[in-house]
Amino acid sequence: MSVVWSVGETRSKHQAARRGLSPSDMFSLAVTSHHLWSSCCQQIRCYMATVVSGSKTSRLVRERLKLQVEEMRGHFSGFRPGLVVLQVGDRDDSNLYISSKLRAAAEIGIEAKHLRLPNTTTQEEVLQHILSINENPLVHGLIVQLPLDSVTSIDSELITNAVCPEKDVDGLSCINAGKLSRGDLDHCFIPCTPSGCMELIRQTGVSVGGKHAVVIGRSKIVGAPMHDLLLWNHATVTTCHSKTLDLPEQVGRADILVVGAGRAEMVRGEWLKEGVVVIDCGINHIADETKASGKRVVGDVHYASANQRAGFITPVPGGVGPMTVAMLMENTVQSAQHFVMKDQPRK
């Protein structure tokens, strides 16, 4: 049997000859090395995560909601779900978020109004506006855009709790938060970002029940309600935060990882268990000279490295963000359905 040597093998042959190895010994060594290399390759599983698109999923949700609104209008003449977005001040980031909510509402058929109050508005004046909206039967959802941009002192907790629980489509009042924490999911509004995260997890086809879920962050808007949602969907849940000492170790145990820490690319790919579902709620801006703006948007997860180990991962942008708006619309439509079933006469 003739043996054809590569350039590298020829060099190794000459080196081996100087060490006293014959060509037949070298052939045996090459075959053994090949078998070892093949065995290693079979044992190493290389992941390239499936991207879970919030843009595509949110589009499906909005299309479903549009049909539901059309059905309500067919049963109740002239009816339209009503939503009010109350803003104090004129922050650019808040204006951007509000405009996306108003566009989504218009697309679905929701009558959305933007109530912008000047930054000199007092706490008592904000409360009066909220009480008036609470009593308006044409409004089915009320959200208070945070943060409140006022030169006067305003207690945001007091303001969000003043929203009628039946119209609290942001799910931030203590009544709705309390129901969620007790597992009363059918009788409360769930905060929009965690609700969107759950929808994205469902899109993967991975069952939450019995899985070990890790949530990084404990905010009232994302982390805390996300923990409750996963728990009542039968996951075993670990919540990590700024005081967690062994964060990489905790992350490495996760079958499902939801990150809402507000720190750019803090979670590294090497921390992850292979095949984990990664939901990244982070929106951070980092310097990037290749962009016209001089910066780019990244999540709380280092995407390039996480993409090599995760089974599923959400992109930033285009992941959780669009789902937050979609679930706000869903809560508004659900609220309107509850109101019409109670109050509206059929045609």
Side-chain angles (χ1 to χ4, degrees):
M1 179 179 64
S2 63
V3 178
V4 179
W5 300 94
S6 69
V7 173
E9 288 170 333
T10 302
R11 184 183 301 115
S12 298
K13 177 184 174 183
H14 292 314
Q15 291 172 348
R18 286 197 297 269
R19 293 196 297 268
L21 293 179
S22 68
S24 61
D25 292 332
M26 269 302 300
F27 176 74
S28 298
L29 181 61
V31 171
T32 301
S33 299
H34 173 74
H35 286 320
L36 288 172
W37 180 84
S38 298
S39 176
C40 289
C41 285
Q42 290 172 2
Q43 293 177 23
I44 297 173
R45 184 179 181 184
C46 297
Y47 277 98
M48 181 64 71
T50 299
V51 177
V52 187
S53 171
S55 299
K56 293 180 180 178
T57 305
S58 66
R59 185 163 57 249
L60 296 175
V61 172
R62 294 196 306 270
E63 289 171 357
R64 171 172 53 81
L65 294 176
K66 185 176 181 179
L67 293 175
Q68 291 177 3
V69 170
E70 290 173 354
E71 183 179 355
M72 280 192 287
R73 295 185 70 177
H75 285 92
F76 304 99
S77 180
F79 177 81
R80 291 187 72 183
L83 173 67
V84 172
V85 182
L86 187 152
Q87 177 187 16
V88 177
D90 192 27
R91 287 174 57 112
D92 289 338
D93 56 348
S94 292
N95 292 335
L96 182 63
Y97 297 143
I98 291 171
S99 65
S100 67
K101 295 169 185 176
L102 297 178
R103 284 197 304 271
E107 175 189 337
I108 292 166
I110 295 172
E111 183 73 37
K113 296 182 179 179
H114 179 195
L115 176 58
R116 179 185 291 163
L117 305 176
N119 66 355
T120 55
T121 305
T122 66
Q123 178 171 284
E124 185 60 32
E125 289 171 335
V126 176
L127 288 172
Q128 287 300 320
H129 281 286
I130 290 175
L131 293 176
S132 175
I133 296 168
N134 284 344
E135 296 171 359
N136 186 343
L138 299 178
V139 177
H140 309 104
L142 167 59
I143 65 172
V144 178
Q145 186 68 41
L146 299 176
L148 298 167
D149 179 27
S150 177
V151 295
T152 67
S153 177
I154 300 180
D155 183 348
S156 59
E157 188 80 5
L158 178 68
I159 296 300
T160 53
N161 283 328
V163 177
C164 173
E166 289 78 13
K167 298 185 179 185
D168 174 30
V169 289
D170 251 347
L172 298 182
S173 70
C174 60
I175 299 296
N176 281 314
K179 288 183 177 181
L180 174 58
S181 69
R182 297 289 292 271
D184 192 8
L185 306 187
D186 293 331
H187 299 93
C188 70
F189 287 116
I190 297 170
C192 303
T193 297
S195 182
C197 292
M198 290 300 295
E199 184 62 35
L200 290 171
I201 294 170
R202 280 190 285 272
Q203 290 293 317
T204 69
V206 174
S207 174
V208 173
K211 297 299 192 299
H212 188 176
V214 173
V215 179
I216 302 180
R218 51 181 170 176
S219 71
K220 296 175 183 178
I221 297 175
V222 180
M226 192 73 235
H227 169 279
D228 295 338
L229 265 181
L230 289 163
L231 179 67
W232 293 113
N233 279 275
H234 313 300
T236 299
V237 189
T238 300
T239 297
C240 301
H241 44 75
S242 60
K243 303 301 181 184
T244 300
L245 298 179
D246 55 346
L247 185 59
E249 181 179 345
Q250 295 295 338
V251 169
R253 297 173 179 153
D255 302 305
I256 298 170
L257 175 66
V258 182
V259 189
R263 290 179 56 190
E265 300 181 326
M266 66 172 290
V267 175
R268 312 299 295 184
E270 56 267 26
W271 298 1
L272 304 177
K273 177 193 293 187
E274 288 187 344
V276 61
V277 176
V278 178
I279 308 295
D280 189 351
C281 303
I283 301 178
N284 310 283
H285 294 88
I286 63 172
D288 187 341
E289 295 179 354
T290 66
K291 303 294 183 181
S293 63
K295 57 186 179 181
R296 62 186 170 93
V297 178
V298 298
D300 291 350
V301 176
H302 186 262
Y303 186 88
S305 58
N307 189 41
Q308 304 301 312
R309 292 184 65 84
F312 299 89
I313 191 169
T314 58
V316 177
V320 173
M323 291 304 301
T324 298
V325 176
M327 303 321 284
L328 171 63
M329 299 300 114
E330 178 161 82
N331 283 352
T332 303
V333 171
Q334 287 180 356
S335 179
Q337 290 171 332
H338 294 157
F339 273 91
V340 298
M341 295 305 295
K342 287 193 307 180
D343 303 329
Q344 290 285 335
R346 287 185 177 267
K347 289 196 299 184

